[in-house]
Amino acid sequence: MPGDDWLVGDRRAAAAERIYDVAIDLMARSGINELDLDELARRAHCSRATIYRYVGGKRQIRDGVVALVATRITETVRSQVGSMTGPERVTAAILSTLAAIRSEPLCRLMIASIRGGTREVSLLAQMPLLAEFAAELAGLPRDDPEPARWAVRVVLSLMYWPAESDDAERQLVESFVAPAFDQRL
């Protein structure tokens, strides 16, 4: 770990990066809503005041961590679905997102720390940023957020209740999910 001078220089960027790195680790271990700011301050080698000054409170940290992880996943999926359209794009976006989440160690830990059916899952399903990413990746209209929110819920559902195989998931998405979006594309 860097020494005590980690706040020297471009303080805002360095502080935020350091705090988010530690927050990601803590949230992956204890849950997305169980972040302890005293523990975060101790592990980031700063005060609670520094945390509030540079990244905000628990809600802002949670939203920031989700945004960082979602952005990484979105960049990966965007490169895979960019030239596709219609139901093919919806299917590929959902399946590629699932694969990216499942291959990301942090995501696996965060998902494992959240029990299915809890308020935390509902919170993720309702995050506007995730709906924006879903709309972009699946090629859904941006003026109607409901289809994108539903796509987020489909991904979360398959994360918590996966089909017996990748092929079975593909069949489910192709047969039941993609056609539901067909009218909106």
Side-chain angles (χ1 to χ4, degrees):
M1 286 204 161
D4 292 334
D5 62 349
W6 66 274
L7 286 174
V8 175
D10 182 3
R11 289 182 168 204
R12 181 150 308 278
E17 183 177 343
R18 172 77 168 242
I19 292 166
Y20 280 130
D21 285 346
V22 175
I24 286 169
D25 182 60
L26 290 173
M27 290 170 67
R29 294 170 193 272
S30 61
I32 195 168
N33 281 332
E34 300 302 319
L35 181 63
D36 181 323
L37 292 182
D38 290 325
E39 179 69 8
L40 176 59
R42 187 181 69 70
R43 288 198 185 185
H45 304 283
C46 66
S47 68
R48 282 177 65 115
T50 299
I51 292 170
Y52 283 105
R53 182 179 317 119
Y54 291 106
V55 295
K58 280 183 163 183
R59 192 180 94 244
Q60 291 87 4
I61 295 168
R62 180 202 64 216
D63 292 352
V65 165
V66 170
L68 288 169
V69 174
T71 298
R72 283 198 310 243
I73 289 169
T74 298
E75 289 169 0
T76 299
V77 175
R78 185 183 293 129
S79 68
Q80 297 171 3
V81 301
S83 63
M84 297 176 182
T85 60
E88 176 190 35
R89 182 173 180 144
V90 172
T91 299
I94 289 171
L95 296 175
S96 296
T97 299
L98 284 167
I101 291 169
R102 289 172 177 158
S103 69
E104 171 76 40
L106 170 65
C107 288
R108 285 196 318 267
L109 289 170
M110 284 178 76
I111 294 293
S113 76
I114 301 172
R115 292 184 347 264
T118 65
R119 177 170 259 139
E120 292 170 320
V121 175
S122 179
L123 173 100
L124 288 172
Q126 295 171 15
M127 290 186 90
L129 178 67
L130 296 183
E132 289 171 27
F133 285 153
E136 175 196 340
L137 296 175
L140 299 169
R142 305 231 178 183
D143 59 342
D144 181 6
E146 288 307 310
R149 287 187 195 129
W150 196 72
V152 170
R153 287 179 181 276
V154 168
V155 169
L156 288 170
S157 294
L158 289 170
M159 285 304 305
Y160 286 100
W161 301 284
E164 55 276 2
S165 69
D166 290 345
D167 288 338
E169 278 184 350
R170 173 174 292 285
Q171 184 64 34
L172 284 171
V173 173
E174 287 175 344
S175 297
F176 301 106
V177 178
F181 289 106
D182 206 15
Q183 297 172 356
R184 307 273 188 161
L185 299 173

